[in-house]
Amino acid sequence: MENRNHNFELDNLDTQILSILMEDATIPYTEIAKKLIVSGGTIHVRMKKMHDMGVIRGANLIIDPQKIGYDICAFLGIYLEKGSQYHDAVESLKKVKEIVEMHYCTGAYSIFAKIICRDTTHLREVLNENIQAVKGIQRTETFISLEESIKRQITLS
Amino acid sequence: MENRNHNFELDNLDTQILSILMEDATIPYTEIAKKLIVSGGTIHVRMKKMHDMGVIRGANLIIDPQKIGYDICAFLGIYLEKGSQYHDAVESLKKVKEIVEMHYCTGAYSIFAKIICRDTTHLREVLNENIQAVKGIQRTETFISLEESIKRQITLS
DNA sequence: GTTGAAAAGTGCTGCGA
DNA sequence: TCGCAGCACTTTTCAAC
C-alpha cells in the first residue's frame, strides 16, 4: 500500500492506524501494533498526535435506533424565505433533538436535515410543532427512509 | 428521570448507560458506575446484554474528513427508471466507496445517498464514472454541503 | 441481578538507543 | 524519533449475597 499523501502531516503509519480503528474502534492498541509490526507505544504516540491535530474527534457508540424504539428515519428538504435567515433558522433547529444531522446546501433546498423519530405520529408532531413553526421556513419536503442500505465510514486508501 | 419504556427489554439503568456513552464512548465503565451509583460489574453485564441484543452495534472513531483531505460532502437524489431495479442498483452502488450512507426513500427520489469526496474533480469523476454509469439510474441531483451545522446522535430522554 | 475484589489485559510514561 | 519495559488503570470474571 503506497502513501497517497492525503495530508502532508499524516504518513503511511497514521493512515493505517486510522483505517483499522475506523472499522472497529474497540480494537486494542496492542493488537494494532502487532498487525503493523511496531510497538504499542508508537501507536499511542500517533494517536495522541492525531487527537491533537483534530483528525480524531472522539469515539461514538453505534446503536440501532429501531431497537430503542426509533422506527422512522427521514430526510427533510427545507426551503427558506430568504437565505439571510439561515443563521437564525439553524439556531432554532438546533433545539429540535430529533434532528441528528443538518447541512447548508446548494441546490433546490437551502437546508438539508436528517431526522429520527419514534413513529409517524411523532414525526408529524415534530414537523408541525417544531420545524414548520420556525421563523423563515417557508415549506419542507419529507423523504422517509424505507431501508438504510449503506451506513459506513469513508475508506482510506 | 422516569422510565419512558422505549423498549420493554431496556430498563432505566440501560438507558442511562447508553445516554452517557452516546455522548462520549471513551468514558470508562468505572466512571459510569460511580455516576449511576452501581458497581463496575453491573455496567459490564448491561453492556454485554445490549451488545447481544443488537442495541449496540460497535464503536466508531469520529474523524474529521476535511483534515484527511476529504473536503466535499454532498447528497445525491437518484432517480431510477423502474423501482424494480432497486436491488441491482444498490449492489452496484455498494462498490462505490465514496458513498457513506444510502437510503431507499419515499418521495421524488428513489434512492438518497450521502457521498464524501476529496474535491470537486473527484466528485465529478465519481458521479460520471461510478454512479451515472450504473444500470437503471436515470438521472441524479446533487446537493453540495457548504456547512455541516449539526452532527449528533439522538438523545434518549 | 447485584456486589466487591482478584485476575488479566490495556494504556501510559520515562529511559535508552 | 522510535522502541522497550515497568507502572497505573480499566475491564473482566466469579463466588457470595
Side-chain angles (χ1 to χ4, degrees):
Chain A
M1 209 185 293
E2 56 174 321
N3 190 349
R4 296 288 297 276
N5 222 5
H6 304 295
N7 187 308
F8 52 90
E9 296 172 82
L10 288 186
D11 68 6
N12 235 323
L13 182 59
D14 295 323
T15 313
Q16 286 178 44
I17 296 171
L18 275 186
S19 294
I20 294 173
L21 248 22
M22 274 163 62
E23 279 182 40
D24 181 1
T26 64
I27 295 176
Y29 287 6
T30 49
E31 200 174 319
I32 300 169
K34 251 188 289 177
K35 273 189 191 169
L36 303 181
I37 320 175
V38 290
S39 77
T42 302
I43 305 289
H44 180 250
V45 170
R46 299 306 187 99
M47 286 295 287
K48 185 175 180 340
K49 185 187 76 177
M50 291 192 282
H51 261 108
D52 293 344
M53 283 169 61
V55 173
I56 299 172
R57 282 252 154 80
N60 254 160
L61 275 195
I62 309 164
I63 62 149
D64 185 339
Q66 294 192 4
K67 288 262 167 71
I68 53 170
Y70 285 79
D71 263 325
I72 303 278
C73 167
F75 290 88
L76 301 179
I78 300 175
Y79 295 86
L80 288 180
E81 286 166 15
K82 286 181 272 178
S84 58
Q85 290 165 316
Y86 169 68
H87 281 293
D88 290 339
V90 165
E91 285 312 307
S92 301
L93 291 171
K94 275 185 183 169
K95 291 172 197 148
V96 182
K97 298 203 183 308
E98 287 83 0
I99 296 177
V100 293
E101 198 169 336
M102 188 158 88
H103 296 257
Y104 182 48
C105 280
T106 65
Y109 317 105
S110 309
I111 298 178
F112 223 86
K114 181 179 173 182
I115 184 172
I116 290 183
C117 293
R118 276 184 242 287
D119 46 41
T120 50
T121 309
H122 184 198
L123 175 63
R124 197 178 56 232
E125 275 173 27
V126 174
L127 278 174
N128 290 343
E129 294 165 26
N130 301 108
I131 294 179
Q132 279 158 0
V134 170
K135 196 168 165 292
I137 290 184
Q138 199 177 55
R139 66 188 190 86
T140 63
E141 232 163 85
T142 309
F143 309 96
I144 296 177
S145 168
L146 303 176
E147 185 187 314
E148 184 178 73
S149 29
I150 296 181
K151 176 74 174 177
R152 62 190 178 198
Q153 300 242 53
I154 48 171
T155 42
L156 300 176
S157 48
Chain B
M1 207 184 292
E2 56 173 317
N3 190 348
R4 295 289 295 279
N5 223 8
H6 303 296
N7 186 309
F8 52 91
E9 295 172 84
L10 288 186
D11 69 4
N12 236 323
L13 181 59
D14 295 323
T15 313
Q16 285 179 45
I17 295 170
L18 276 185
S19 293
I20 293 173
L21 248 22
M22 275 164 61
E23 279 183 40
D24 181 1
T26 64
I27 295 176
Y29 287 6
T30 48
E31 201 173 319
I32 300 168
K34 252 187 289 177
K35 273 189 191 168
L36 302 181
I37 320 176
V38 291
S39 77
T42 301
I43 306 289
H44 180 251
V45 170
R46 297 306 188 101
M47 285 297 285
K48 186 175 179 337
K49 185 188 76 179
M50 290 192 283
H51 261 107
D52 293 344
M53 283 170 61
V55 173
I56 298 172
R57 282 251 154 83
N60 256 156
L61 274 196
I62 309 165
I63 63 148
D64 186 339
Q66 296 193 3
K67 288 261 165 75
I68 53 169
Y70 286 79
D71 263 326
I72 303 279
C73 167
F75 291 88
L76 301 179
I78 300 175
Y79 294 85
L80 289 180
E81 286 165 14
K82 286 181 272 176
S84 58
Q85 291 165 317
Y86 168 68
H87 281 292
D88 291 338
V90 164
E91 285 312 307
S92 302
L93 290 171
K94 275 185 182 169
K95 290 171 198 149
V96 182
K97 297 204 182 310
E98 287 83 359
I99 296 177
V100 293
E101 198 170 336
M102 188 158 87
H103 295 258
Y104 182 48
C105 280
T106 65
Y109 317 105
S110 309
I111 298 178
F112 224 86
K114 181 180 174 182
I115 184 171
I116 290 183
C117 292
R118 277 185 242 287
D119 46 41
T120 50
T121 308
H122 185 199
L123 175 63
R124 197 178 55 234
E125 275 173 25
V126 174
L127 277 173
N128 290 343
E129 293 165 28
N130 301 99
I131 293 179
Q132 278 158 359
V134 170
K135 193 168 167 293
I137 290 183
Q138 200 178 56
R139 66 189 191 87
T140 62
E141 232 163 84
T142 310
F143 309 96
I144 296 176
S145 168
L146 303 175
E147 185 187 313
E148 184 178 73
S149 28
I150 296 181
K151 176 76 174 176
R152 64 188 174 198
Q153 301 242 51
I154 47 171
T155 41
L156 299 176
S157 47

